[in-house]
């Protein structure tokens, strides 16, 4: 008889959930990299605007300041987005760790139950073998006794 783990569906679901979390983590990491790149671009835009303002001897300072203020707000929002992404990443990594622990627990349980099942099967098989040997021995003894009785009566 073959061992059948009763929690196979749950184990499969948890393994699938782990893979899904890994995919989510990869997407968040991509978003983080894209946001970092956006931050660098905004920084360059701010520096460029500041340099342009200095080159024109602050002739168009009011326009440049409006642009700088807008760029700095966007720069701040990008930093906030990056912080949120990093928090989300950390939370997903913790969730992934916990899910992997649950999967490992189920795998160990499956292994332990499998070993127990096969140990019990081997014990039953050994009992059957012992019983067959005992019956064979008893049968041989009865035959020997019958033959001895026949020799005595003959």
């Amino acid at each position: 008889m073959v061992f059948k783990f009763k929690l196979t569906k749950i184990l499969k679901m948890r393994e699938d959930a782990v893979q899904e979390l890994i995919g989510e983590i990869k997407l968040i990491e991509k978003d983080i990299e894209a946001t970092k790149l956006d931050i660098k671009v905004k920084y360059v835009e701010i520096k460029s605007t500041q340099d342009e303002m200095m080159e024109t001897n602050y002739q168009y300072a009011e326009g440049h300041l409006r642009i700088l203020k807008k760029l700095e707000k966007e720069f701040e929002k990008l930093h906030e987005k990056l912080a949120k992404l990093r928090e989300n990443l950390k939370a997903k990594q913790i969730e992934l760790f916990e899910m992997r622990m649950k999967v490992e627990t189920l795998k160990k349980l499956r292994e332990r139950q499998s070993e127990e099942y096969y140990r019990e099967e081997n014990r039953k098989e050994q009992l059957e073998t012992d019983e067959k040997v005992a019956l064979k021995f008893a049968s041989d003894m009865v035959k020997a006794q019958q033959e001895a009785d026949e020799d005595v009566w003959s």
Side-chain angles (χ1 to χ4, degrees), residues 131-141 143:
E131 191 174 314
K132 287 178 183 177
V133 168
L135 287 173
K136 174 84 169 112
F137 179 74
S139 173
D140 289 348
M141 290 297 285
K143 283 182 187 176

Side-chain angles (χ1 to χ4, degrees), residues 1-148:
M1 194 167 208
V2 177
F3 171 72
K4 180 159 172 110
F5 185 54
K6 294 178 182 176
L7 301 175
T8 301
K9 288 182 182 178
I10 292 172
L11 177 60
K12 176 73 171 121
M13 285 174 28
R14 288 194 176 161
E15 287 174 332
D16 291 346
V18 164
Q19 292 305 313
E20 188 176 314
L21 271 173
I22 289 171
E24 289 176 22
I25 287 172
K26 286 180 181 180
L27 288 175
I28 292 170
E29 288 171 340
K30 285 181 182 179
D31 283 348
I32 286 173
E33 290 306 311
T35 304
K36 284 180 179 179
L37 185 61
D38 290 345
I39 287 172
K40 287 179 184 178
V41 168
K42 282 297 172 209
Y43 179 76
V44 168
E45 286 180 30
I46 289 170
K47 280 310 240 175
S48 161
T49 303
Q50 289 172 340
D51 290 345
E52 185 180 317
M53 195 164 85
M54 289 172 68
E55 286 174 8
T56 61
N57 283 334
Y58 302 97
Q59 268 183 330
Y60 308 106
E62 196 175 305
H64 286 113
L65 289 175
R66 233 181 292 117
I67 292 170
L68 277 174
K69 191 173 183 178
K70 178 184 169 230
L71 290 173
E72 286 172 353
K73 280 185 182 179
E74 291 172 1
F75 189 72
E76 248 180 66
K77 285 182 182 178
L78 286 171
H79 274 286
E80 289 171 6
K81 178 182 176 184
L82 182 61
K84 286 179 184 176
L85 285 170
R86 285 182 173 157
E87 283 179 33
N88 194 10
L89 177 64
K90 187 175 182 177
K92 292 290 183 182
Q93 288 171 333
I94 290 169
E95 187 178 348
L96 176 62
F97 176 77
E98 291 170 353
M99 287 297 291
R100 282 183 170 163
M101 293 298 290
K102 289 177 182 178
V103 167
E104 286 305 312
T105 301
L106 281 174
K107 284 181 177 179
K108 286 179 183 176
L109 176 63
R110 177 181 62 190
E111 185 178 321
R112 200 169 43 247
Q113 286 182 353
S114 173
E115 288 172 359
E116 190 175 304
Y117 173 83
Y118 286 114
R119 199 172 22 256
E120 181 63 21
E121 286 296 309
N122 286 338
R123 187 186 70 75
K124 287 178 184 176
E125 191 176 304
Q126 184 63 45
L127 285 175
E128 281 182 30
T129 303
D130 290 349
E131 191 174 314
K132 287 178 183 177
V133 168
L135 287 173
K136 174 84 169 112
F137 179 74
S139 173
D140 289 348
M141 290 297 285
V142 167
K143 283 182 187 176
Q145 185 63 42
Q146 285 175 351
E147 288 175 4

